[in-house]
Amino acid sequence: MYGDTAVELLRELRRTAPHTVPPYNEDKLRQIIEEIDALYNEVRNTLQAFAEQKNEPQVAGSMMVQYTAILRNKRCMLAYLNERVNRLQNLRWDVGAVLPPELKENLSMQESEFFQLYSRGLGAYMKAIDLDLTTDLLPPKELYIEVRCLVDVGEIVTEEGTVNLEKDSQHFLRRSDVETLVRQGVLEHIV
């Protein structure tokens, strides 16, 4: 049936958590493009075979169904790609300029390039206005927070000095110093 592969591609994306990017499904995209090409050829062949009868309801209806299937496949592909781009933009705000390796391997080459360019553009803008927009996405309720270190990080420099972050250690630190590490999953905010 026309469009089944395209719908399956969108369902596959919908099944994943909104804060992740599933592996880029190049095979299904190629299948959809091949289906679009086949449908286009069918429309063209119908026009050539029935050039004199193209206004007949049966011929026009057949071509309309095929053309509508082409448009639907295109919309599904664009929706798939657009959702992936939106997720990449959200990840930049959530985890920072460096994607975790498990997410990086799920991206196509073009998506990796887009993420780098988006990150660079956002970084240049934040530098131009002299404000880090990625910290404190919500207004903080307290200036200091208690965090637990989930992995060995080593020493980090904070506004109040250096802190050694070892696995399973707990610290009471300024929110602005550790918020990026919390969003990256290195530290856990203890509520």
Side-chain angles (χ1 to χ4, degrees), residues 2 7 14 16 32 36 38-39 46 53 64 67 75 82 104 111 116 126 130 135 144 146 151 154 160 171 187:
Y2 299 136
V7 170
R14 188 176 178 200
T16 61
I32 295 167
I36 289 172
L39 286 165
T46 303
Q53 303 159 336
M64 185 56 96
Y67 182 69
R75 279 195 313 269
N82 186 51
K104 199 176 248 185
E111 289 173 328
Q116 290 172 353
M126 290 188 301
D130 196 28
T135 59
Y144 287 85
E146 189 171 0
V151 294
E160 298 172 349
H171 304 275
L187 299 177

Side-chain angles (χ1 to χ4, degrees), residues 3-144:
D4 286 347
T5 308
V7 170
E8 180 56 35
L9 185 68
L10 289 175
R11 284 188 182 137
E12 178 183 292
L13 186 61
R14 188 176 178 200
R15 283 185 210 117
T16 61
H19 60 277
T20 63
V21 180
Y24 184 74
N25 199 333
E26 190 171 349
D27 293 335
K28 279 199 176 139
L29 287 170
R30 285 191 195 281
Q31 290 173 8
I32 295 167
I33 291 170
E34 289 169 6
E35 185 177 309
I36 289 172
D37 286 342
L39 286 165
Y40 174 76
N41 289 332
E42 283 181 37
V43 169
R44 196 178 72 220
N45 292 340
T46 303
L47 271 174
Q48 289 173 351
F50 299 99
E52 309 220 348
Q53 303 159 336
K54 65 182 177 188
N55 292 331
E56 300 259 338
Q58 301 90 338
V59 176
S62 170
M63 289 190 304
M64 185 56 96
V65 167
Q66 293 162 341
Y67 182 69
T68 304
I70 290 171
L71 293 178
R72 180 176 180 184
N73 280 346
K74 283 183 177 181
R75 279 195 313 269
C76 289
M77 285 176 52
L78 290 172
Y80 175 77
L81 296 172
N82 186 51
E83 177 63 20
R84 291 180 67 84
V85 165
N86 289 340
R87 289 183 183 196
L88 286 174
Q89 289 173 336
N90 290 336
L91 281 170
R92 172 56 181 95
W93 288 91
D94 292 341
V95 299
V98 179
L99 280 176
E102 63 271 7
L103 286 176
K104 199 176 248 185
E105 66 189 28
N106 291 343
L107 305 181
S108 70
M109 187 175 68
Q110 294 83 3
E111 289 173 328
S112 294
E113 185 178 337
F114 168 79
F115 185 81
Q116 290 172 353
L117 290 172
Y118 183 76
S119 228
R120 236 182 276 144
L122 182 61
Y125 177 70
M126 290 188 301
K127 186 176 181 181
I129 64 170
D130 196 28
L131 179 66
D132 187 359
L133 299 172
T134 60
T135 59
D136 295 328
L137 295 177
L138 297 173
K141 293 189 168 94
E142 60 269 339
L143 188 58
Y144 287 85

